[in-house]
Amino acid sequence: MKPNRQQLQPWLGLKVKRPPPALLTLGTLLVFSSLAAIKSRARKELEAERKNVNQNIDTFTCSEEENTSVEVPGPLATSGIYFQCPMIGLEVLPQEEWHIKIEEFIKEQMKDDPILQSILLIQNCNHNRTKVEECIKLLVTYAENIIRNKDEEKYRKVRLTNKTFVEKVLPIKGAIEFLESIGFVKKKLMYQEQEEDFLVFPEECLDNLASVQTTVDDLQSAERIQLVLDRNVQVLLPSQASTKVSLPPEFFIVSTAEIKAEYQKRTEKLESEMILKTKNMRMKEQNRYKSNYKYCLIRIKFPDCLILQGTFGVNEHLSDVLEFVKESVFDEQRPFKLRLSSGSTFENEHENMTLSELNLVPTTVLLFTNDPPENNEEHPYLKDELMALVQ
């Protein structure tokens, strides 16, 4: 049964709460080793780590050179960035695939309500938010000019070849449909002694200006259908968590090639970089580097040597990481803390700070600690569903 307009009206003020990370059940994939075998292998790898400090996973950080290079050998640390869309379905897909599915969904479900369909298309099916805002502002201007000046015919005509219209309205999906849904119709009119295409608001539609105002209000207040970042959970053995990290292009705001070029440019100015820098100068430089990233990769290393990996937005908070860990451990009620390999422990005052502010971008390892230490040999630290992810 298709949802009607009343059921879908909340989309105009959509608020989506992040669901817990999706966990695979034991029945969804082949388990190659028993939990005991996994723990045994992890212990052996820990012993090997201690014998070779050069391979210690606690040094899991990305140097600027490694991050900016597009030729880093070895597999990617993660396959990409994935999202969920609770409003539409349970799939976990890349952002571009969701854009296609959302557009198809809106066109199918809203085909009997052209007004709501056009609003949702404008808000959800155009990637450049700046251009969307410019378009909405212009559409509102067209409508309000008619409402305020209903006796002046010039405000009821929009020439389709007008430069502003061509640049700001025509490229935006749903914009033409929005104007048509409030009453505009296409007509050919004379302009400077030649016939051109116009959108015209008919005189008989002037009696429905209250409805036009309501539609304009809906357009301005509508929110996007939210995508929720999927954690892309992985559980790794120490040997699978390489210290040489290569991130996929989706992690970067600009392309990796552009970042590499910027890095090489700075390298060429090495002599000037050797000058004594103040702390403020170093902080500005560090923040400029961190601003290249949209996402970050967080790994949590447990005392049994297994590593839990998840993907986060750089503006998410430490509290989101803590919640991710809490939902992943076997005993959710047992208190724990996260600390850096340097020994620094995160406290309550850090929970509302972003991962960028805490210098955890683009990659870092946090060590899981609890007091007193876990001493349960029946279960590892992670839930069985997550242990099934160990290859």
Side-chain angles (χ1 to χ4, degrees):
M1 181 178 177
K2 294 181 180 179
N4 56 36
R5 179 182 174 88
Q6 184 177 4
Q7 291 171 317
L8 290 165
Q9 193 70 25
W11 284 15
L12 299 177
L14 183 66
K15 298 290 183 183
V16 176
K17 183 179 179 182
R18 179 185 299 281
L23 302 180
L24 298 178
T25 62
L26 289 174
T28 59
L29 67 154
L30 182 63
V31 179
F32 293 96
S33 304
S34 67
L35 299 182
I38 292 171
K39 292 175 67 177
S40 175
R41 181 176 172 187
R43 288 195 190 99
K44 290 179 181 178
E45 292 194 7
L46 176 60
E47 293 173 4
E49 275 189 69
R50 289 169 176 165
K51 293 178 182 178
N52 189 352
V53 294
N54 293 328
Q55 296 178 354
N56 194 318
I57 193 172
D58 291 350
T59 62
F60 171 79
T61 55
C62 282
S63 68
E64 186 168 340
E65 182 175 4
E66 288 171 338
N67 276 327
T68 57
S69 175
V70 295
E71 300 174 349
V72 175
L76 294 175
T78 184
S79 57
I81 302 296
Y82 300 93
F83 296 85
Q84 301 172 37
C85 186
M87 179 63 70
I88 293 179
L90 300 176
E91 297 97 332
V92 176
L93 301 170
Q95 191 172 43
E96 288 304 313
E97 291 187 32
W98 270 121
H99 289 159
I100 295 171
K101 286 183 70 72
I102 288 173
E103 183 172 350
E104 292 173 347
F105 182 83
I106 291 171
K107 288 180 176 179
E108 174 60 28
Q109 298 296 329
M110 301 291 108
K111 60 185 178 183
D112 296 327
D113 191 337
I115 293 177
L116 184 55
Q117 183 189 81
S118 64
I119 290 174
L120 293 175
L121 286 173
I122 291 170
Q123 291 288 357
N124 294 282
C125 300
N126 299 282
H127 301 336
N128 190 318
R129 292 306 300 172
T130 300
K131 291 186 176 180
V132 168
E133 295 302 324
E134 291 176 350
C135 176
I136 290 175
K137 185 176 180 180
L138 192 54
L139 295 177
V140 170
T141 299
Y142 288 153
E144 290 185 343
N145 280 343
I146 296 172
I147 295 170
R148 295 169 182 170
N149 307 278
K150 64 179 184 179
D151 295 327
E152 297 189 43
E153 186 179 355
K154 67 178 181 178
Y155 290 113
R156 293 191 277 118
K157 299 177 183 178
V158 179
R159 185 165 55 91
L160 297 187
T161 55
N162 176 273
K163 181 180 179 182
T164 301
F165 183 88
V166 170
E167 292 178 353
K168 295 188 176 182
V169 176
L170 206 55
I172 302 300
K173 293 179 182 179
I176 296 291
E177 291 84 350
F178 175 82
L179 291 173
E180 291 176 338
S181 72
I182 64 175
F184 279 92
V185 294
K186 289 182 180 178
K187 286 187 178 181
K188 288 188 177 293
L189 300 175
M190 294 302 297
Y191 178 77
Q192 294 183 352
E193 300 183 355
Q194 63 181 4
E195 201 173 59
E196 289 200 26
D197 291 326
F198 279 77
L199 281 174
V200 179
F201 192 86
E203 188 173 352
E204 57 267 25
C205 290
L206 292 174
D207 294 334
N208 298 322
L209 293 183
S211 176
V212 172
Q213 182 63 65
T214 299
T215 304
V216 168
D217 293 341
D218 285 344
L219 175 64
Q220 292 178 295
S221 63
E223 296 186 18
R224 305 182 72 188
I225 297 173
Q226 296 296 316
L227 294 179
V228 178
L229 179 65
D230 184 75
R231 295 298 180 213
N232 193 15
V233 181
Q234 296 183 48
V235 179
L236 309 172
L237 292 164
S239 60
Q240 297 169 322
S242 171
T243 59
K244 193 174 184 68
V245 176
S246 182
L247 298 173
E250 296 92 335
F251 271 71
F252 303 92
I253 290 178
V254 295
S255 71
T256 52
E258 290 174 309
I259 296 177
K260 181 179 180 181
E262 180 185 346
Y263 172 73
Q264 289 175 335
K265 184 178 179 180
R266 290 202 301 269
T267 303
E268 291 170 0
K269 298 181 180 180
L270 180 61
E271 184 176 345
S272 63
E273 295 293 329
M274 296 297 289
I275 63 172
L276 183 64
K277 295 184 177 71
T278 66
K279 181 178 179 180
N280 188 47
M281 290 169 65
R282 290 194 300 271
M283 287 296 295
K284 285 182 178 179
E285 192 173 276
Q286 184 181 43
N287 290 335
R288 185 169 61 249
Y289 168 62
K290 289 189 296 182
S291 68
N292 287 328
Y293 297 91
K294 293 188 289 185
Y295 306 102
C296 60
L297 200 67
I298 302 294
R299 287 176 174 174
I300 295 92
K301 182 179 179 182
F302 289 84
D304 60 6
C305 263
L306 291 179
I307 299 106
L308 175 68
Q309 176 177 295
T311 302
F312 294 81
V314 297
N315 292 319
E316 290 193 73
H317 299 87
L318 179 64
S319 58
D320 295 307
V321 178
L322 293 170
E323 185 67 20
F324 169 65
V325 175
K326 181 180 178 181
E327 291 171 346
S328 302
V329 295
F330 183 79
D331 185 357
E332 294 188 17
Q333 304 304 317
R334 192 181 185 100
F336 68 89
K337 287 189 176 183
L338 300 178
R339 64 179 178 85
L340 296 167
S341 56
S342 63
S344 301
T345 302
F346 294 109
E347 304 297 344
N348 293 339
E349 61 267 26
H350 297 119
E351 292 187 14
N352 292 324
M353 295 179 66
T354 68
L355 303 182
S356 180
E357 291 171 336
L358 292 170
N359 296 319
L360 303 182
V361 175
T363 59
T364 196
V365 156
L366 302 176
L367 306 180
F368 178 96
T369 61
N370 53 10
D371 190 20
E374 181 69 59
N375 189 28
N376 184 354
E377 293 298 325
E378 296 299 322
H379 277 280
Y381 286 82
L382 295 173
K383 292 179 178 177
D384 291 349
E385 296 95 328
L386 286 174
M387 293 297 294
L389 298 177
V390 178
Q391 299 298 310

